[in-house]
Amino acid sequence: MGRSRAGRAPTGADEATSAAGAPGGRTHAQGPLVRAVDSGRAELRPDRDRPRGWQLLLDGAPQSLVDLDDPTHLGFEYQRRLGHLIDLAAPPGRPITVLHLGGGALTLARYVAATRPRSRQQVAEIDTALTELVRAELPLERGWQIKVRGADARAVLERTPEGTVDLVIADVFAGARVPAHCATVEFAALAAKALAPGGRFAANLTDGSALAFARSQAATLLAVFPEVCLIADPAVLRGKRFGNLILAAGQQPLPLEDLGRRVASDSYLGRLEHGRALADFTAGAPAATDATAAPSPTPPPGVFH
């Protein structure tokens, strides 16, 4: 979960990282690292399955997984599904322009840079102390064209020139919740405006039980985009457990056949909803606006343990 805190004014502080990455990075021999950042308590925890893998947790919630040896590794379920959308954004290897709203450990930006060399990427991450920690301990490779802006995600989206981005990825969390101002019709309209012809918008969100937030978010994107689909674990869709859901949207038809095949072949169980099935999923939920929106629900106690 990337994070952007509501209520804090954009700083305008930019971190140009396109050629600043240093080789190496933190080793498992150095052990875990805990540090206070702007959004709370950040922890870098060695991944037991990968010699150079690290998990980033914020206030105890798993946020990112990075393998310094293999930037194409996407270890979290939601990252895998966003990775499928990155893979299908253009023919294999073709550079794309990506706007990441929420940065965290920059896992998805690393994935784009490794799989689509020469791609131009901008990341909105309001927590500049977190970005400094990630850059120091989990450095980016030299030559990756990634710029991190220390500003609120919506503020960066508002300033993005019209029709310039191939893919907008919203992975914005504040205190393990999607902030209300990044979950509205107006926010989705800004994303639609930023997209180049054929571009797509993708959002990561969390919900459970009655799925009121997820249903409203599907209705919100359907109010802006003619093409929308939803990907989630069937247990999450049945309200049996709290978890991640991915929404994807565009002005043109989505690559549903290829996307469905990739979701079905994952080690994680997943279901893709589109068309009538997605409309049924919304169950009449209203689209969220700036006047009515609320943040996503607080995760249940112990959900991350």
Side-chain angles (χ1 to χ4, degrees):
M1 294 180 291
R3 292 198 175 195
S4 175
R5 289 187 311 193
R8 173 177 164 183
T11 66
D14 295 348
E15 295 289 347
T17 60
S18 58
R26 192 170 187 84
T27 66
H28 283 196
Q30 293 174 277
L33 174 66
V34 178
R35 184 172 298 173
V37 294
D38 298 340
S39 56
R41 177 179 178 271
E43 179 183 0
L44 289 177
R45 182 181 296 175
D47 185 87
R48 291 176 297 178
D49 298 324
R50 307 185 76 85
R52 296 249 292 158
W54 291 89
Q55 283 197 38
L56 168 67
L57 296 87
L58 292 175
D59 290 334
Q63 197 275 347
S64 300
L65 176 60
V66 169
D67 186 340
L68 293 174
D69 281 339
D70 181 9
T72 68
H73 175 69
L74 300 176
F76 288 172
E77 173 186 301
Y78 86 90
Q79 292 176 339
R80 286 286 305 153
R81 290 168 181 160
L82 290 171
H84 296 326
L85 292 165
I86 291 168
D87 292 342
L88 296 171
R94 179 182 294 179
I96 58 176
T97 301
V98 186
L99 173 60
H100 302 265
L101 303 175
L106 307 175
T107 304
L108 291 171
R110 298 169 196 265
Y111 182 82
V112 172
T115 60
R116 296 183 176 279
R118 302 181 306 283
S119 290
R120 290 180 296 138
Q121 302 187 75
Q122 183 172 195
V123 181
E125 174 53 68
I126 199 169
D127 192 333
T128 54
L130 175 62
T131 298
E132 291 170 2
L133 172 65
V134 168
R135 292 183 65 207
E137 303 293 339
L138 309 176
L140 302 173
E141 291 188 14
R142 293 183 177 88
W144 284 352
Q145 299 182 56
I146 302 171
K147 176 184 284 188
V148 183
R149 297 178 68 88
D152 177 82
R154 180 155 170 174
V156 171
L157 186 58
E158 288 171 345
R159 296 196 297 268
T160 302
E162 182 174 355
T164 58
V165 182
D166 297 311
L167 183 61
V168 175
I169 299 176
D171 189 13
V172 188
F173 283 80
R177 304 174 74 184
V178 179
H181 74 302
C182 294
T184 68
V185 168
E186 292 85 351
F187 179 84
L190 289 170
K193 182 179 179 181
L195 292 176
R200 295 172 190 145
F201 173 69
N204 175 37
L205 56 100
T206 54
D207 203 356
S209 189
L211 298 171
F213 182 77
R215 297 181 199 279
S216 176
Q217 286 305 289
T220 297
L221 291 193
L222 286 167
V224 175
F225 293 95
E227 295 290 333
V228 181
C229 72
L230 170 68
I231 309 167
D233 185 308
V236 174
L237 289 174
R238 291 195 300 270
K240 299 298 184 181
R241 72 172 180 87
F242 190 92
N244 294 81
L245 304 95
I246 300 297
L247 283 164
Q251 300 293 349
Q252 298 180 13
L254 300 170
L256 297 173
E257 184 175 343
D258 286 341
L259 183 57
R261 190 160 46 241
R262 288 168 182 260
V263 170
S265 65
D266 265 343
S267 57
Y268 304 103
L269 289 176
R271 197 167 84 206
L272 188 152
E273 302 284 18
H274 175 261
R276 180 59 183 272
L278 182 60
D280 290 344
F281 171 79
T282 65
T289 68
D290 283 348
T292 64
S296 64
T298 302
V303 72
F304 299 122
H305 304 287

